[in-house]
Amino acid sequence: MKHKLPLLTLAVAVSTFAVPLLAHHGNAAYNYDKKIMVSGTVTEWIWANPHCWLKFDAKNDSGEVTHWIVEASAPPTISAQGWSHNSFKAGDQVTVTMIQVKNGQPIGRFEGDVILNDKPFPPHDNGSSSNPKGGPKP
Amino acid sequence: MPKRCVFSAILLIVLLSLPRLVHAQNAPGTTEGQAKQQSWNNGPPAKKAYVGKKSAPAPRRNLSGIWNAAAEGGVQPKGVLEHPALLPDHPQDDIGEQPDESKISRPLAYTPLGLAALKANKPGVGVRAVGPGLVNDPVDFCDPQGFPRMELFEFRVLEIAQSKNQVLLLYQFYDNWRVIWTDGRALPDPKEAEPRWNGYSVGKWVDDYTFVVDTVGMNEKTWLDNAGRPHSGDLTVQERFHRLDYDTLELTVTINDPKFYSQPWQALNKFVLHRLPDDYDIQEFFCAPSETADYNKLIGNPASETPQK
């Protein structure tokens, strides 16, 4: 199934988030009231402690490119949900559901569904996660 | 064909088939790749894996094993958002900013000195969360969590090993470890001893299933938790490990710091740890200063900047 999503789709504005994510570096910078979905091309996936992050480029309808950085939780947390150090590679097509920082910078945190090369990611759940959609959690 | 040759041929076929037979014994629904992955860098099972499970009796005077501290409430078991003193007014998803803890139903009994120290600590989460750029949590800069914060924040997997004179506690988060001496030595005088991030610990069995640890001598650079609760150099901590059965360990942590708190308080009260399989491989979790610097440069600092008008 193809997922044809607009490049910058402002999605749901609900406050049903279960827990604050990624507590190491504070949560106050992020807008927890609104999720957005952004599609683009992966440029780099950094597997690091205490947080991992994905860099990808998104083009708008005018062809302008925005360099996004989306942080995930720590390797031990997301490993348990099927993520790994080689989950993404440059050139992959992704659609990321995230929350964005309040100041408008193209920085976000994974929060919800991820589509990787037209398939749901992560591809399997090994039973460690109570979140079948695979988004990072503490 | 001689019988010996036939036998040899059959034996060879059986031997060549062995790897497939072994792989066929993977758990139902798992692929070979997944099974291999599960033998290294394991992720803890969800809480549902423990519910209703029958356990063998607790062994006598033995805490050894690999324990999951994250099954009950995640990696912040009681450290901040779920702290008993904060419930029920502030559920876990309340990350609003409040200047102090005065609106909390059962606030901790801070002394004036303790309250001043609390206000100097600017956490990024919890009821006292400050805005980005103002957080001064030492852990954000890869400082050691220190003790007892390592049991009040990011308390993930804990391996316990015992030897003749020591109980060793190996904490997954930031790959930290402590030595509990059981050789009968006395604690050092904290006024004379060099301050340590994790303090000085001695332990003893008070019955066959309860191990009590006393710790002194922590330096004053650490917070008690990621909510920014402070401690002074006078802090003493008592841990009470009680093994309920083979698979279940309870931990109670009592904070006693008369300089900052007018009475002792329990940071953990019979907090449950579940035993993990003996072949559970603890994934490393260092705080890498270079990676943290990259994170702050690319994410933390830009996220904290004031919006351009």
Side-chain angles (χ1 to χ4, degrees):
Chain A
M1 184 178 71
K2 283 273 180 187
H3 293 266
K4 293 190 175 176
L5 296 164
L7 292 182
L8 279 169
T9 305
L10 297 187
V12 202
V14 290
S15 54
T16 53
F17 305 87
V19 287
L21 309 179
L22 307 161
H24 294 95
H25 296 86
N27 299 306
Y30 284 90
N31 180 1
Y32 277 84
D33 293 331
K34 188 170 68 181
K35 291 184 190 179
I36 63 172
M37 292 171 73
V38 184
S39 298
T41 304
V42 171
T43 56
E44 199 171 14
W45 167 234
I46 302 294
W47 187 255
N49 278 316
H51 293 191
C52 306
W53 61 86
L54 179 70
K55 297 168 83 171
F56 68 94
D57 288 348
K59 272 187 190 172
N60 67 12
D61 293 340
S62 313
E64 294 168 340
V65 175
T66 302
H67 305 295
W68 280 90
I69 302 179
V70 187
E71 62 172 315
S73 195
T77 298
I78 59 176
S79 291
Q81 298 163 28
W83 300 51
S84 78
H85 65 288
N86 56 12
S87 287
F88 305 94
K89 62 181 185 304
D92 283 342
Q93 299 300 306
V94 288
T95 297
V96 174
T97 310
M98 66 171 101
I99 53 173
Q100 189 180 1
V101 291
K102 291 173 182 170
N103 66 11
Q105 296 265 14
I107 296 170
R109 282 181 174 173
F110 285 98
E111 176 61 58
D113 292 345
V114 177
I115 305 297
L116 171 61
N117 295 328
D118 294 329
K119 293 176 183 169
F121 175 84
H124 64 85
D125 188 323
N126 67 7
S128 299
S129 169
S130 58
N131 177 3
K133 292 179 180 175
K137 62 188 177 65
Chain B
M1 184 184 294
K3 283 184 180 176
R4 185 180 296 172
C5 289
V6 173
F7 178 77
S8 300
I10 292 172
L11 184 64
L12 184 64
I13 290 169
V14 169
L15 287 174
L16 288 172
S17 305
L18 268 181
R20 288 184 191 171
L21 292 172
V22 169
H23 289 149
Q25 290 171 7
N26 290 337
T30 61
T31 65
E32 183 181 332
Q34 282 174 288
K36 282 180 181 171
Q37 179 71 26
Q38 285 163 11
S39 63
W40 293 101
N41 292 324
N42 294 144
K47 185 179 179 180
K48 62 185 178 188
Y50 307 107
V51 175
K53 183 181 175 186
K54 289 187 176 176
S55 178
R60 189 176 161 273
R61 299 194 174 214
N62 189 349
L63 302 178
S64 298
I66 306 169
W67 299 92
N68 183 11
E72 306 286 340
V75 297
Q76 305 185 110
K78 302 288 181 186
V80 47
L81 304 169
E82 303 175 54
H83 191 280
L86 302 183
L87 293 175
D89 296 350
H90 298 277
Q92 193 181 28
D93 60 350
D94 185 345
I95 54 170
E97 297 179 28
Q98 294 189 21
D100 55 39
E101 302 191 2
S102 61
K103 291 181 182 174
I104 295 168
S105 57
R106 287 175 294 151
L108 295 176
Y110 293 103
T111 64
L113 268 179
L115 198 56
L118 174 74
K119 287 178 177 174
N121 293 346
K122 308 290 186 188
V125 295
V127 295
R128 296 179 55 256
V130 297
L134 301 174
V135 178
N136 62 1
D137 187 338
V139 166
D140 285 2
F141 308 98
C142 274
D143 268 7
Q145 287 221 100
F147 178 77
R149 179 168 171 172
M150 59 178 62
E151 291 176 355
L152 305 179
F153 175 58
E154 293 280 13
F155 195 15
R156 290 173 178 253
V157 177
L158 169 68
E159 179 158 2
I160 304 180
Q162 294 181 205
S163 65
K164 183 183 174 188
N165 291 323
Q166 297 176 329
V167 172
L168 301 174
L169 302 180
L170 313 174
Y171 298 80
Q172 179 182 30
F173 187 68
Y174 289 3
D175 288 71
N176 210 334
W177 50 271
R178 295 168 61 210
V179 173
I180 316 299
W181 285 99
T182 54
D183 60 357
R185 73 180 63 191
L187 285 167
D189 178 353
K191 289 185 172 52
E192 300 296 329
E194 168 199 355
R196 288 179 171 182
W197 294 95
N198 294 347
Y200 300 79
S201 301
V202 298
K204 64 180 178 185
W205 291 92
V206 296
D207 62 41
D208 283 347
Y209 307 103
T210 309
F211 184 65
V212 173
V213 180
D214 289 300
T215 302
V216 301
M218 284 70 82
N219 76 36
E220 296 178 316
K221 297 177 184 176
T222 60
W223 295 3
L224 290 180
D225 56 28
N226 59 330
R229 294 191 179 83
H231 72 85
S232 76
D234 291 355
L235 170 69
T236 64
V237 179
Q238 185 169 87
E239 297 159 280
R240 194 173 188 88
F241 293 90
H242 178 62
R243 191 153 184 178
L244 278 182
D245 55 35
Y246 188 82
D247 294 301
T248 316
L249 186 61
E250 281 182 348
L251 173 60
T252 296
V253 175
T254 303
I255 306 292
N256 191 2
D257 185 355
K259 191 185 250 182
F260 280 10
Y261 302 91
S262 60
Q263 60 191 47
W265 55 280
Q266 285 184 341
L268 294 181
N269 182 14
K270 296 183 178 176
F271 181 76
V272 172
L273 294 85
H274 296 282
R275 190 177 165 104
L276 290 163
D278 287 341
D279 63 354
Y280 184 91
D281 179 58
I282 302 176
Q283 189 170 359
E284 74 173 13
F285 197 163
F286 286 101
C287 190
S290 63
E291 292 178 347
T292 301
D294 284 347
Y295 171 89
N296 286 331
K297 180 181 172 187
L298 288 171
I299 299 172
N301 297 340
S304 305
E305 289 170 359
T306 306
Q308 300 289 319
K309 291 185 179 175

